[in-house]
């Protein structure tokens, strides 16, 4: 898959729209910045309870 064909990552988009960093989100959720980075790069996905907290 080409870089331009990667699926859109909504968490990353919302962070940018709200001028927040992945480090900020990690602090809010009590997870590591590496975990949030993996979510933003589609390497892993947050659990349903974590998605509820993010929302």
């Amino acid at each position: 898959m080409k870089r331009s064909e990667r699926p859109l990552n909504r968490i990353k988009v919302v962070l940018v729209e709200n001028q927040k960093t992945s480090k900020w989100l990690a602090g809010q959720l009590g997870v590591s910045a590496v975990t949030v980075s993996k979510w933003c790069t589609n390497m892993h996905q947050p659990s349903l309870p974590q998605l509820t907290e993010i929302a």
Side-chain angles (χ1 to χ4, degrees), residues 22-33:
S22 56
K23 188 175 180 178
W24 172 84
L25 181 58
Q28 296 298 304
L29 299 174
V31 299
S32 74

Side-chain angles (χ1 to χ4, degrees), residues 3-52:
R3 184 178 178 97
S4 61
E5 294 176 359
R6 280 188 165 164
L8 178 67
N9 184 287
R10 190 70 184 134
I11 294 171
K12 188 174 184 177
V13 170
V14 171
L15 285 173
V16 170
E17 288 174 349
N18 290 285
Q19 299 177 341
K20 301 292 183 182
T21 64
S22 56
K23 188 175 180 178
W24 172 84
L25 181 58
Q28 296 298 304
L29 299 174
V31 299
S32 74
V34 172
T35 298
V36 175
S37 176
K38 288 180 180 182
W39 295 342
C40 289
T41 58
N42 291 324
M43 292 180 69
H44 293 283
Q45 295 300 314
S47 67
L48 289 177
Q50 288 169 323
L51 282 173
T52 302

